[in-house]
Amino acid sequence: MVDIGSGRIDSVLVAPDANPYMNFGSAIAMTPSGYVLVGASRDNPLNLYTTGAVHVYIVMVDGAGNRQIAHRQKLVAQDPIDEARFGAAIAVSGRTAAIGARGPDNYPPGLMTPQGNGAVYLFDVPTGQQLAKVAPVDTAGNGALGC
């Protein structure tokens, strides 16, 4: 993280289960309440190929102005499939995060087309609960909703 006033880097976020292929940092968003969400769109949290994940950190500042950052949780889609690339895009509004996955579509797990329709997953950031999945009605393919 960069101190805007001085322009110096004062902390670096690292995934607790980092690997060189996870594409950590594929998307980043921060909530007003201090949560930082970092996409890892090629992560394999469930031993599926490039399923993707989002790491959630909390930034806390003590009375002396010292910043502390803690890894809170790792978000994954409730319906993970190969090539989903969950975490390729992230947007935040209040407590809710919209997390894009370019690969998944409306087909059941395992029946994904190579050029997926995409999906957007809504999560409650503090609890990590998946609230909804938004997928396109037109399943012609190659729509890449969520990216």
Side-chain angles (χ1 to χ4, degrees), residues 54-143:
V54 171
H55 292 267
V56 179
Y57 299 83
I58 183 76
V59 179
M60 300 163 284
V61 180
D62 64 21
N66 299 313
R67 187 182 330 195
Q68 296 179 337
I69 302 171
H71 186 269
R72 287 282 300 239
Q73 58 194 331
K74 184 176 184 176
L75 304 177
V76 295
Q78 288 178 354
D79 61 345
I81 57 176
D82 285 344
E83 294 285 342
R85 298 203 174 129
F86 176 85
I90 305 170
V92 175
S93 179
R95 294 173 52 109
T96 305
I99 301 172
R102 73 171 206 182
D105 51 32
N106 287 336
Y107 300 108
L111 297 177
M112 191 187 108
T113 60
Q115 299 169 328
N117 292 318
V120 175
Y121 296 82
L122 302 178
F123 279 82
D124 180 73
V125 175
T127 66
Q129 178 183 1
Q130 183 176 319
L131 304 173
K133 175 184 176 182
V134 180
V137 176
D138 175 6
T139 58
N142 204 25

